Amino acid sequence: MPSEVLKIFGPVFIFLFYFVFAHRNRHFRIYGPLFYVTCFVAMSSNFSLFYRQIFQFIQIVFVFYFLWGVVNHRSIHPVNKVLIPFLILILFSVFLSKLDSDSASQTINFLSIIGVLNFLLHQLNTSERIGCFVEYIGRLSFIISLLGVFEYFFLGSSRIEVTFSNPNYLSFFLGIGFCILTAGKRSSIYWVRLSVVLLAIVVSGSRAGLVFPLLALFWSTYQSSGIRNRLLQAFFAVVIGVVLVVSGITRFSDEQSTSGSDAERLIFLRISIEMANDHPFTGVGWGRFPAEFSDYATLTDLVYTSDGDAVDVSGQERRVTHNDLARILAELGYVGLIWFLFMSFRLGLDAFKIGKNYYFFVFPVWLGVYIFSLTHNNLNSLFFWFFFFLPSILKRLVGSAKRGHVMISSSLESK
């Protein structure tokens, strides 16, 4: 495939950008976090050559670095007060269910995510460092988008992937970058970056990815002063939405494909509820939805698409929920779901308040990440957990700044 060439050589351009950005921003403590993001984008889901194996080794190194820091400093980040109860629920569900390869690998993956997340939070302990970190993500999304546009127009890919193995997760990263870029200073390059990233999201064919630019635009409209500015931005939001649907360039126009996919997701949700009803306190066990799927698939009713076609999954062996709330419900039961919803409610309020008063990009990013997880499985992604907890992290930094401990000096503060 022509796009395979981009997976082989794309990481070279990504790492070159890392070295240029790191050289211009001489904050030694953020080199590690920036390097991890670079490796994640270039190699985490890139199955060409040995990229994925290299990334797994790098992730192990970061986890051991975090553990060494805990031993030396004898302290952990406050975000673990929320994560540890969720981890206890996971370990409890694993202990009471059948431990198989799926359950073991998913638990190990989650533990590694906690380790790397703590490493990032230990390094990014000031507003200035977090500002530089998210600025890098925004600019890196522009570089990835340039590669994606090249893949679409010159390599003939119908849905771009760049260095990712799935166009939906590519659009997830680009969507986060788009929201971050909207908080930059208005200039000619500002509009160029937004246009290129938006185009890359569109040609990725991801419906969930389009949520991010729409949220960013509506949030900008809400934050704008004056009726004229709000009406103008709302008008552009409607025009963009109509053009994307009518042009046929997105999968919104493929009604047969999208309605079939939506019908399957509804079936998976029903199966998750059935699993939770059978195991209300512990679920079927962390990571065990695919293994238990076939036993429940034969018991579900058919779901019909808008065209009247029946969608039947009873003959399928292993599937995933394509919805993180459904996964938590099935694998951790109602207790796990209630805890996660409680966390979400508190962090959502923090995101709204901090995004309205200090950091413009936080609320659309947080809400976009959350909505994306309602249509995909994202709990093994570091980016999900980092941006999920980012409102709480920034809230602490703002509180410290008010008490005179930290200076708020991010280049990506509210307009």
Side-chain angles (χ1 to χ4, degrees), residues 362-408:
V362 170
F363 185 67
V365 167
W366 187 91
L367 188 56
V369 166
Y370 200 86
I371 293 175
F372 187 92
S373 284
L374 298 181
T375 58
H376 296 84
N377 291 122
N378 217 23
L379 294 178
N380 283 344
S381 169
L382 174 75
F383 273 86
F384 170 81
W385 290 106
F386 178 81
F387 286 102
F388 183 67
F389 285 115
L390 185 60
S392 175
I393 298 165
L394 292 177
K395 181 181 178 181
R396 288 183 63 251
L397 292 178
V398 170
S400 298
K402 288 181 178 180
R403 293 189 297 270
H405 298 308
V406 178
M407 178 69 75
I408 300 295

Side-chain angles (χ1 to χ4, degrees), residues 92-297:
F92 190 64
S93 74
V94 171
F95 178 76
L96 294 179
S97 64
K98 179 181 178 181
L99 182 63
D100 57 13
S101 58
D102 289 327
S103 183
S105 64
Q106 290 296 314
T107 303
I108 292 173
N109 285 340
F110 188 76
L111 289 172
S112 67
I113 289 298
I114 292 178
V116 177
L117 177 63
N118 275 273
F119 163 76
L120 293 182
L121 298 181
H122 177 70
Q123 300 295 100
L124 304 173
N125 57 357
T126 69
S127 180
E128 182 180 11
R129 291 173 187 170
I130 289 183
C132 188
F133 181 72
V134 297
E135 180 185 2
Y136 178 73
I137 292 175
R139 296 194 178 188
L140 181 58
S141 70
F142 173 65
I143 300 299
I144 299 298
S145 297
L146 289 175
L147 294 175
V149 171
F150 174 81
E151 179 183 356
Y152 182 78
F153 288 105
F154 296 98
L155 299 182
S157 297
S158 57
R159 296 186 66 187
I160 63 170
E161 296 179 353
V162 193
T163 53
F164 292 76
S165 61
N166 188 313
N168 293 307
Y169 292 107
L170 166 65
S171 71
F172 174 71
F173 176 75
L174 297 182
I176 292 174
F178 184 94
C179 294
I180 292 172
L181 289 174
T182 59
K185 294 181 179 179
R186 301 293 174 88
S187 63
S188 57
I189 190 64
Y190 169 89
W191 296 110
V192 170
R193 286 172 178 163
L194 288 184
S195 300
V196 172
V197 176
L198 177 60
L199 177 60
I201 293 174
V202 169
V203 297
S204 74
S206 173
R207 294 178 292 164
L210 286 171
V211 168
F212 288 94
L214 291 177
L215 285 174
L217 188 54
F218 282 119
W219 182 245
S220 178
T221 302
Y222 171 76
Q223 294 279 62
S224 297
S225 58
I227 297 296
R228 181 179 178 182
N229 288 337
R230 292 185 178 184
L231 290 176
L232 185 62
Q233 293 188 62
F235 171 76
F236 279 120
V238 173
V239 169
I240 291 173
V242 171
V243 169
L244 291 176
V245 174
V246 174
S247 66
I249 197 171
T250 69
R251 295 172 67 224
F252 282 112
S253 58
D254 188 357
E255 185 176 344
Q256 183 176 1
S257 173
T258 56
S259 60
S261 176
D262 294 339
E264 283 191 341
R265 282 173 164 80
L266 181 59
I267 293 176
F268 300 154
L269 178 59
R270 289 180 178 178
I271 291 175
S272 297
I273 294 173
E274 290 298 323
M275 290 182 181
N277 289 338
D278 291 342
H279 309 273
F281 298 106
T282 61
V284 296
W286 186 250
R288 286 193 47 78
F289 181 90
E292 299 284 343
F293 175 81
S294 59
D295 293 337
Y296 285 85

